[in-house]
Amino acid sequence: MVEAPGWDARRAREIIAEFSGVEGAMLPILHALQGEFGYVAEDATPVIAEALNLSRAEVHGVISFYHDFRHAPAGRHSLKLCRGEACQSMGSEALAQKFLAGRSLGWHETSADGSLTVDPVYCLGLCSSSPAALLDGEPIARLDLASLDEAVDEALAEAQA
Amino acid sequence: MTRIFISKDIAALAVGANKTAARLEAEAKARGLAVEIVRTGSRGMYFLETLVEVETAGGRIGYGPVAAPDVASLFDAGFLAGGAHPLRIGRTEDHPFMARQNRLTFARCGIIDPTSLADYESLGGWRGLARAIEIGPAATIAEVLKSGLRGRGGAGFPTGIKWKTVADAPADRRYVVCNFDEGDSGTFADRMIVEGDPYALIEGMTICALAIGASKGYVYCRSEYPHAGKTFSEALGLARSAGYLGSNIKGSGLSFDIELRMGAGAYVCGEETSLLESLEGRRGIVRAKPPLPAHKGLFARPTVVNNVLSLVAIPTILEHGADFYASFGMGRSRGTMPLQIAGNVRFGGLFETAFGLTLGEIVEDIGGGTATGRPVRAVQCGGPLGAYFPPALFDTPFDYEAFAARDGLIGHGGLVVFDDTVEMAQMARFAMEFCAIESCGKCTPCRIGSTRGVEVVDKIMAGDRVSENLALLEDLCQTMKFGSLCALGGFAPYPVLSAMRHFPEDFSPRALAAE
Ligand SMILES: Cc1cc2nc3c(=O)[nH]c(=O)nc-3n(C[C@H](O)[C@H](O)[C@H](O)COP(=O)(O)O)c2cc1C
Ligand code: SF4
Ligand code: FES
């Protein structure tokens, strides 16, 4: 079997084993795997199933239920743009459309060079400072197209340097 | 050494608080001035972030919003001694936005270093727990009952009754679970208090554990809040080392510990039974009730599930007594509610106040109208499942029953303001779209109905058989309201129906006129 990119089955098994004895270990395991590899590979399903004494179908069902878990690696940088109502009241929908069009991307897509993935989120708790986003996990707010583009370009440039 | 306070709340970080803090430090050094920069939570005046406060003999003097380039001019103005500057707001407590509040739950937030145990203790921390230990479980529950506290997560269920039910349920183990999923758009009070005063949540949960006889607690934090998660987990570690968690807490004989768990981006996991499924490691599918979580909750044990705000209100109630807490508010809505004024609003932020202010007072007087300066057209109250209120209903007092009487809900206390450029059919469409994205899939009216709803609104907006489709949409909403197991499918019709009722002109006026 060909391993998925960046995936290390041995390391994955180690991580899963660390959670033996934890009550309701499923989500902590999935977060740990995604934290290590950036996604949860299909190969993990049988290992988790065995560790937690569940069927593969059950494990697959959990992974696909939650919006956070990825089946494939994301881009090197992540932008989560808020689409909640408070951000909409400050023009986030138009902002998102312009930003995405400018980068030839759609929601949930990764740029061709693998540098950026853009996902929608529904509120970041920054609703008094809308529109807001998380860029590589860090908050940015009171955005317009210029400040969003600038922040994203800065993040992309840092990686090159 | 002059002490300077700058928030590290994410809403401050999001507008450059770290840059402002770094510039302050560098500038002080260059000028040979001794300063200590203390990073706090937020005061909740997000329109003033980055707020910089200086400790003076006359109290903390605030300046804001301070961007990094403003820093040099602050020093030139002698701000370390409270000097005059265009950004100076005076004593922070005297600012009109602060002076009008009743800060009970948020009394320490924005003032202390969030994870400093010394700060927490010096401003009344652990006194509620000490009293609970002194009076014992039964009297603690009686106090919570008497305070009139109702769950702040949305449903408004009396907290004392929930605790008593769990305490009375025979079991080998009981759990206290804190619902920190805060999924409602337009809300951030849970986040702000956990980032700004995390020990208050630990204390509230410990009091609950003592009252119901639990030895283990979970905090379920949404994954969209990584910073709050980090702060809370740091606080857990420090509290544990200091003996406020673990076995025989401060010699009381009480043993209790808390574990933080992160969600994974599912709105429905804020619903308590879905949350419990998720904690147990399954898909967040809503459970049918009964059994109630209070009887059969986490791992089938009696479980208190409470919102963050319900739990952080507890130490105040125990410390100052039920009567003190209940002396705030109106009717059956007792105590204070941290309002979250959000969206297109001039003075957006957290405003903790007794129940009873009218919606108009909140939006116009406190919020200062829209940020864009255009007229207010609609306010969505209570999150994505809450109704849209037009200015004609601005006389509605902020109270559970008064909002319900007008087909609305106060939910978790979020208020999202829109100006007159909002397209209400678009907002109705979004409510349906959101429901479709987040539905757990258990009931047909919610899972399928919401997708149909999006299609029907699209037809209306396109001018396709408008009156027929409006009737269909109304019908669909009724089906969802009455045929859904939980409030996701059951309440998603509220924003839709309120938009149709109060803003009929937005549902394709031209096409209607042509018919
Ligand atoms: C779809 C849905 C989402 C919910 N989201 C939350 C939430 O994010 N936070 C919360 O405290 N309660 C939420 N609730 C309410 C909970 O089910 C529950 O009533 C609450 O956690 C009980 O705590 P309380 O009594 O302290 O309010 C939600 C309910 C539904 C139906
Ligand atoms: S109403 Fe929707 S979210 Fe709630 S249980 Fe039914 S399908 Fe799930
Ligand atoms: S709605 Fe965008 S941050 Fe809350």
Side-chain angles (χ1 to χ4, degrees), chain A residues 19-30 52, chain B residues 261 279-281:
Chain A
F19 289 90
S20 70
V22 171
E23 281 183 325
M26 178 77 84
L27 261 63
I29 287 176
L30 295 174
L52 300 181
Chain B
R261 287 285 174 92
L279 269 180
E280 290 181 14

Side-chain angles (χ1 to χ4, degrees), chain B residues 290-366:
Chain B
L292 293 171
H295 291 127
K296 271 184 109 176
L298 189 62
F299 304 111
R301 300 305 194 291
T303 303
V304 163
V305 182
N306 267 144
N307 174 250
V308 172
L309 294 180
S310 316
L311 289 163
V312 292
I314 297 292
T316 307
I317 292 169
L318 268 293
E319 184 192 349
H320 298 289
D323 293 334
F324 169 78
Y325 192 76
S327 70
F328 296 89
M330 69 174 276
R332 288 172 50 218
S333 305
R334 309 312 313 178
T336 58
M337 186 73 192
L339 305 173
Q340 297 127 81
I341 308 174
N344 191 338
V345 67
R346 195 160 159 224
F347 304 126
L350 182 131
F351 191 94
E352 182 177 353
T353 179
F355 286 93
L357 287 177
T358 67
L359 186 53
E361 285 173 300
I362 297 166
V363 171
E364 302 285 2
D365 301 353
I366 297 161

Side-chain angles (χ1 to χ4, degrees), chain B residues 151-153 162 179 181-183 267 270-272 305-307 310 487:
Chain B
R152 303 290 190 236
K162 189 180 282 187
N179 189 339
D181 201 51
E182 195 160 64
Y267 175 74
E271 195 283 333
E272 56 187 3
V305 182
N306 267 144
N307 174 250
S310 316

Side-chain angles (χ1 to χ4, degrees), chain A residues 22-24 26-28 31 61-62 65-69 83-86 88-90 121-129 134 137-142, chain B residues 11 14 46 173 175 185-186 188 191 218 222-223 225 227 261-265 278-279 281-284 341-344 349 380 417 427 430 433 437-438:
Chain A
V22 171
E23 281 183 325
M26 178 77 84
L27 261 63
H31 276 304
V62 174
F65 180 85
Y66 295 96
H67 299 303
D68 279 2
F69 300 122
R83 288 193 68 205
E85 284 89 342
Q88 288 192 39
S89 78
M90 292 299 283
V121 278
Y122 298 89
C123 195
L124 294 164
L126 293 164
C127 333
S128 294
S129 319
L134 280 187
E138 292 304 318
I140 46 177
R142 300 199 191 284
Chain B
Y46 286 131
R173 273 183 287 159
Y175 290 101
S185 51
F188 45 80
R191 178 189 66 66
Y218 286 95
R222 68 199 298 252
S223 61
Y225 285 175
H227 291 73
R261 287 285 174 92
M262 299 305 279
S278 182
L279 269 180
R282 284 188 290 275
R283 294 182 295 155
I341 308 174
N344 191 338
Q380 187 179 28
V417 181
M427 300 319 296
F430 180 77
E433 185 188 353
I437 294 171
E438 299 297 341

